[in-house]
Amino acid sequence: MKAVREFDRFAASYAKTNIIQRQVAEYLVSWIEEREYPRILDLGCGSGEVYRRLRAKGIGFDEFWGVDLSEEMLRKHPKDRRIHCRLGDFSDASLLDELASQTWDLLLSSSALQWSSDLDRTLSGLSRIGAPAYFALFTAGTFRTLHRTAGLDSPILDFPHTFEALRRHYRPRKAERVKYRLHFDSTREIFAYIKKSGVSGGEARLSYRQTKRLMREYPVDYLEFELLFFSGSPKTAFSRS
């Protein structure tokens, strides 16, 4: 396991709101061999952080396909004649069937798959794509202190269950748990970050009174994030490496 990576306080901005996702995408892409991949698929592509990291590293491709559930994020994704963005939910079996009917050379997903309504079923569908996979998923250690203070269970799977789901459908090449801490000047800033970041802490399940109490009693000046980074090949007869 990596040591906890610390990020100090700095002015609230879009960059701060997305700093963890950017760090996750950068580290995930650092695992990928620098060569040409004819067709790349990015699930949960968002505004294009994985794409930007691939380009910065010099990884080439003929086609890059990004799928995301948010039209707003897709509008922000870089565009050119080789980039294709489409609206879609990777929990949708029909989408997975469609993707599995095509040929892909690299499958990526950064900070997204933890929101699958059925991770095991989603991974089963993704494994049929047959491409080498690189995934980064938030796990239940994310916002651990917030959940403990509020008496909430995490809305996402813990690290062992996430890893076991991946192992059922992929042969691991590399797996790593990485933790981050992001520091803030006030609890108000912490809750503003949670609302804007897209990394839900389950605080929406709290009443106004419970939220106010949580803001008073939150004992530290940071949020924790826990991620599982994983690379592997699918357990199918059609896998490509």
Side-chain angles (χ1 to χ4, degrees):
M1 183 181 73
K2 289 279 187 181
V4 174
R5 302 180 184 187
E6 302 271 356
F7 296 95
D8 291 333
R9 304 173 183 84
F10 53 94
S13 64
Y14 178 82
K16 179 171 184 176
T17 301
N18 292 274
I19 187 172
I20 300 299
Q21 288 93 329
R22 289 188 287 115
Q23 291 292 322
V24 170
E26 180 178 20
Y27 189 54
L28 183 66
V29 169
S30 75
W31 284 21
I32 301 171
E33 181 184 353
E34 188 176 329
R35 64 177 179 85
E36 295 285 324
Y37 297 88
R39 300 190 80 222
I40 296 176
L41 175 61
D42 179 13
L43 293 176
C45 64
S47 61
E49 195 59 47
V50 166
Y51 168 81
R52 294 183 185 92
R53 297 299 177 178
L54 291 171
R55 300 302 289 160
K57 189 175 178 180
I59 292 173
F61 55 84
D62 296 326
E63 293 182 40
F64 179 97
W65 286 80
V67 177
D68 201 271
L69 194 58
S70 168
E71 289 187 76
E72 180 181 358
M73 299 305 282
L74 290 177
R75 283 195 292 269
K76 296 176 181 178
H77 198 288
K79 306 290 193 304
D80 71 24
R81 61 181 177 81
R82 300 178 303 160
I83 301 172
H84 309 272
C85 293
R86 60 168 294 178
L87 193 67
D89 181 354
F90 47 69
S91 295
D92 181 354
S94 61
L95 174 64
L96 295 177
D97 289 342
E98 178 186 340
L99 295 174
S101 71
Q102 303 178 49
T103 299
W104 304 97
D105 301 282
L106 185 63
L107 173 60
L108 306 171
S109 184
S110 180
S111 308
L113 289 179
Q114 69 275 354
W115 298 123
S116 171
S117 58
D118 186 333
L119 181 60
D120 193 72
R121 184 177 64 185
T122 296
L123 291 172
S124 176
L126 293 180
S127 68
R128 292 188 290 111
I129 289 173
Y134 292 80
F135 299 140
L137 297 88
F138 285 101
T139 54
T142 298
F143 299 162
R144 185 184 301 279
T145 299
L146 183 147
H147 293 145
R148 185 172 63 244
T149 305
L152 295 173
D153 294 325
S154 174
I156 56 180
L157 294 176
D158 63 20
F159 186 95
H161 284 92
T162 303
F163 186 50
E164 283 306 308
L166 287 162
R167 287 181 58 189
R168 277 194 291 274
H169 303 287
Y170 285 87
R171 296 182 182 88
R173 293 181 178 175
K174 183 178 180 181
E176 186 176 347
R177 175 185 284 174
V178 179
K179 295 184 178 181
Y180 302 85
R181 284 181 183 170
L182 183 58
H183 292 263
F184 297 85
D185 287 322
S186 68
T187 54
R188 185 174 298 275
E189 214 180 275
I190 288 174
F191 280 80
Y193 170 89
I194 294 170
K195 184 176 181 179
K196 295 177 182 178
S197 70
V199 184
S200 172
E203 76 292 340
R205 291 175 280 168
L206 299 176
S207 68
Y208 175 78
R209 185 185 298 273
Q210 289 171 319
T211 300
K212 294 292 287 185
R213 182 181 63 81
L214 179 58
M215 291 179 69
R216 290 195 306 271
E217 297 179 0
Y218 192 71
V220 294
D221 69 347
Y222 57 80
L223 288 170
E224 310 104 315
F225 303 83
E226 178 185 66
L227 286 110
L228 168 56
F229 290 83
F230 180 94
S231 68
S233 56
K235 293 181 177 179
T236 71
F238 306 103
S239 63
R240 295 177 297 278
S241 57

